[in-house]
Amino acid sequence: MGSYSDEFFKEYEAKFADSDRDDPTLEQRPVSRIDRFPDSAYERGAGERRVHRDVNRRPTRPDRAVSHPSNRPRPNDPQNGARRPRPSRRKKRKSRLFRRTMIVLSFAGILLLLIGIIAIAVSASGVGEPKELAVSSVAADQVVLSWGKANHATGYRIFAAKGSDSMTPMQTIDNPETLTATISGLDQATAYSFSVVALRGQKEGKPVLLSSITTLPQTPEITNSYSAKKGSIHLDWAQNDKASGYLVEYKKDGADYSADTTVTISDPAECRADITGLEENATYTARVSSFVSGDSQLKSAPSAEVSLKVAAEDTEVVPKAKELKVDGSIDPNKPMIALTFDDGPAVDRDCGDRILDTLEQYNAKATFFMLGCNAGEATENLKRKVRLGMEIGNHTWNHKHYGGEVTPEDIRKGSNGIYEVCGEYPTAFRSPGGMTTDTILNECATEGMSAYYWSIDTQDWSSRDAEAVYHAVIDNVKDGDIVLMHEIYDSTADAVAKMVPELIDKGFQLVTCHDLIAVKGGAAPVPGKEYVDAFREMTR
């Protein structure tokens, strides 16, 4: 394309100036070179530059003054379709890094929350099991258990089952650091099962079972010991109904117990032993254990030892009553009475057993004053009295002597006759007809027996009427009374069956003479003294 001179442009403008001025449709403005020569390179470049300026120029609103700074057009305004400037690469990198960091932190927070929820759920439900449950020790009436600590446990619960019975809760331990438990009140020579459960709050874990643990038989109590025959000693002990037999061990002072000095008794009803061939005038010590035969032999703890000097010649045996202990179930704040029965055991009749049936049914106790001559005729009845915890009393050998006619031999023979049957010497005495002398009381003191009169006489031997006997007691009884009856009458057995439950309903505790004096009277009865009731001694 050629170039044009300035003269050309002047001539051209002058030529068209008049015609353009006369045209009303044309805007009266200066005519530039670009208007007249659009095809030239100069004009194209100038036009492009002007278009670029016009596009970036923000139109002015008609209602605002352009001169005010706030009304001035702003570059890059979204109005008129203008684009915002792109952020720098540095800002973009920071923005992407921030977003990624927030995403990572969000995921980490969610993960930690899930882990916490799972941990709480596991800790709440995952109560561990006690470890290595074992028996630490076994006795006749208790078992000591031990175990290892369970995970997440806040305590433990112990269950026990007798034989094939269902498990029963026995203890709850609130301290998770306590890993032993003593289960008491168990029956002797009896198989038990135990289980321990870990606790977390009120939630129980899986139980751990320990089965077939057998308690030991009860330790025998030596009731009498003496050396009355040359070169021998004699022992008596209380019978154990669950025992299969007894082991008697003895030793000379300074020696040890050994198999050579052990006597085995296989009859559980045989509760005595005579050990012979001992050194005269030497002192020996002895003890007794009970055992139960089964898959293995279970042996009780040995009794307390007794020491005796061996006799060098035969001497008379003096009966000695054992020391009695008060029944721990007696409530000293409640009224109590002692029912007593003379002239037994009943021979060739069941009235004595019927009286025992009633007493056993209501867990009542009584004192029986018996004749030595009858003891051998009713051995099972006498042994049953001992098993039921009745007090055994002496009423002389045969009830043929009264008052001053009663001799020490009458009393001693009666005590020995009773002992020969049941293995226990009487702890109480009643004079025939109630006629007591100093001779009687002196012998009672020698044998360790207390004597008892009565405060209510039912006259059952005279009336032989059950209703009369019943009313004699029910209409007159008061706290601390000793009631006189006889074991050998059917009418008395009938009266007892009616009065015992009614006495209990009235709030009376039915106890032995010994326990009546010891608990209600305030002191144990003294051997050689005679008592009328719980509060009075017989005076002469």
Side-chain angles (χ1 to χ4, degrees):
M1 180 179 292
S3 58
Y4 298 91
S5 63
D6 291 338
E7 288 79 6
F8 173 82
F9 285 110
K10 290 178 181 180
E11 181 182 351
Y12 185 86
E13 289 173 358
K15 181 179 181 180
F16 290 97
D18 294 337
S19 61
D20 290 341
R21 189 179 303 114
D22 296 334
D23 190 348
T25 62
L26 295 177
E27 180 182 356
Q28 298 301 312
R29 59 181 177 81
V31 178
S32 65
R33 293 180 181 181
I34 194 169
D35 293 330
R36 289 167 171 78
F37 303 99
D39 295 332
S40 67
Y42 175 84
E43 288 79 7
R44 285 198 303 271
E48 288 174 358
R49 286 191 296 272
R50 187 178 64 186
V51 169
H52 178 71
R53 286 194 302 271
D54 292 341
V55 168
N56 291 332
R57 182 179 296 124
R58 180 170 179 169
T60 303
R61 292 178 57 180
D63 56 342
R64 290 190 181 179
V66 176
S67 61
H68 195 279
S70 63
N71 293 330
R72 294 175 182 172
R74 291 175 294 177
N76 303 323
D77 196 305
Q79 297 181 13
N80 301 326
R83 294 177 59 189
R84 290 181 180 274
R86 293 181 179 180
S88 66
R89 291 182 178 180
R90 185 175 181 181
K91 289 183 178 181
K92 287 182 179 180
R93 286 196 297 270
K94 287 184 177 181
S95 177
R96 286 196 297 269
L97 181 60
F98 176 75
R99 287 197 299 270
R100 289 173 182 174
T101 302
M102 293 304 297
I103 291 172
V104 171
L105 291 176
S106 298
F107 275 111
I110 294 172
L111 182 60
L112 290 175
L113 179 61
L114 290 175
I115 292 173
I117 294 173
I118 293 172
I120 292 173
V122 170
S123 63
S125 60
V127 184
E129 298 179 11
K131 302 174 179 64
E132 300 177 355
L133 178 61
V135 174
S136 299
S137 65
V138 181
D141 61 347
Q142 70 178 27
V143 170
V144 179
L145 303 175
S146 63
W147 59 89
K149 188 175 182 180
N151 295 332
H152 310 301
T154 59
Y156 302 92
R157 184 165 292 139
I158 297 89
F159 297 80
K162 179 180 176 181
S164 59
D165 295 346
S166 301
M167 286 286 184
T168 302
M170 303 295 290
Q171 283 187 32
T172 298
I173 298 173
D174 295 328
N175 186 356
E177 302 301 325
T178 300
L179 303 177
T180 61
T182 300
I183 312 301
S184 304
L186 305 179
D187 293 338
Q188 61 156 327
T190 303
Y192 284 88
S193 297
F194 302 93
S195 68
V196 177
V197 175
L199 301 177
R200 186 175 179 84
Q202 297 299 317
K203 185 176 181 62
E204 293 185 356
K206 184 178 179 181
V208 177
L209 181 65
L210 189 64
S211 59
S212 299
I213 304 301
T214 303
T215 54
L216 300 181
Q218 191 71 42
T219 299
E221 178 186 1
I222 296 178
T223 58
N224 197 24
S225 60
Y226 56 83
S227 179
K229 293 184 178 181
K230 182 179 178 180
S232 69
I233 59 176
H234 178 86
L235 301 175
D236 299 298
W237 57 87
Q239 181 177 344
N240 184 347
D241 291 336
K242 288 196 172 183
S244 301
Y246 308 95
L247 298 175
V248 181
E249 300 173 284
Y250 63 95
K251 66 176 182 177
K252 184 181 177 181
D253 275 6
D256 297 325
Y257 292 110
S258 68
D260 294 336
T261 59
T262 300
V263 177
T264 301
I265 298 175
S266 301
D267 183 0
E270 187 69 23
C271 302
R272 67 192 67 181
D274 287 296
I275 303 171
T276 60
L278 305 179
E279 182 181 338
E280 299 172 8
N281 292 323
T283 300
Y284 281 79
T285 301
R287 64 187 186 186
V288 181
S289 302
S290 58
F291 66 84
V292 177
S293 296
D295 296 335
S296 60
Q297 192 176 84
L298 290 173
K299 176 183 172 184
S300 75
S303 67
E305 294 180 332
V306 294
S307 294
L308 299 167
K309 184 176 181 180
V310 178
E313 58 183 22
D314 293 349
T315 59
E316 181 186 13
V317 177
V318 178
K320 277 290 185 182
K322 67 177 182 179
E323 184 179 352
L324 295 178
K325 298 179 181 178
V326 175
D327 185 347
S329 65
I330 297 175
D331 187 345
N333 299 315
K334 293 182 179 180
M336 63 190 73
I337 62 172
L339 302 180
T340 66
F341 301 88
D342 288 3
D343 297 350
V347 179
D348 299 330
R349 64 190 71 180
D350 67 353
C351 49
D353 289 326
R354 288 171 54 206
I355 291 173
L356 289 179
D357 290 342
T358 300
L359 296 174
E360 182 177 13
Q361 179 181 354
Y362 293 97
N363 195 29
K365 299 295 187 289
T367 302
F368 291 84
F369 296 101
M370 296 173 290
L371 304 178
C373 65
N374 284 357
E377 301 297 323
T379 58
E380 290 304 317
N381 177 275
L382 180 49
K383 291 178 179 179
R384 184 184 178 192
K385 288 169 180 169
V386 173
R387 290 196 302 270
L388 293 178
M390 308 300 168
E391 185 173 17
I392 304 303
N394 182 351
H395 203 37
T396 73
W397 171 251
N398 57 14
H399 205 293
K400 290 185 177 179
H401 298 158
Y402 292 85
E405 297 177 353
V406 176
T407 65
E409 183 61 24
D410 285 331
I411 300 171
R412 192 169 298 182
K413 191 176 180 180
S415 295
N416 285 328
I418 291 170
Y419 165 78
E420 289 297 326
V421 174
C422 68
E424 291 190 7
Y425 287 111
T427 58
F429 181 83
R430 175 169 283 158
S431 302
M435 303 176 191
T436 303
T437 64
D438 289 339
T439 298
I440 291 174
L441 293 179
N442 288 337
E443 181 60 25
C444 286
T446 300
E447 296 188 25
M449 297 185 295
S450 300
Y452 298 95
Y453 198 71
W454 55 83
S455 55
I456 293 180
D457 186 355
T458 62
Q459 296 287 315
D460 61 339
W461 63 273
S462 176
S463 68
R464 310 290 179 92
D465 184 288
E467 281 297 310
V469 175
Y470 165 81
H471 283 289
V473 177
I474 295 299
D475 296 346
N476 300 287
V477 69
K478 62 184 181 300
D479 187 24
D481 273 335
I482 296 176
V483 180
L484 170 62
M485 290 180 282
H486 294 77
E487 183 184 345
I488 57 176
Y489 304 121
D490 291 329
S491 54
T492 300
D494 293 338
V496 169
K498 185 177 180 181
M499 75 171 66
V500 166
E502 186 166 339
L503 287 169
I504 293 175
D505 287 343
K506 289 179 177 291
F508 286 101
Q509 301 173 92
L510 306 184
V511 301
T512 63
C513 287
H514 172 273
D515 287 354
L516 180 73
I517 305 303
V519 176
K520 188 59 65 172
V526 178
K529 288 190 175 182
E530 187 174 25
Y531 298 87
V532 177
D533 56 27
F535 311 107
R536 292 182 294 166
E537 293 181 21
M538 181 67 75
T539 57
R540 305 190 149 70

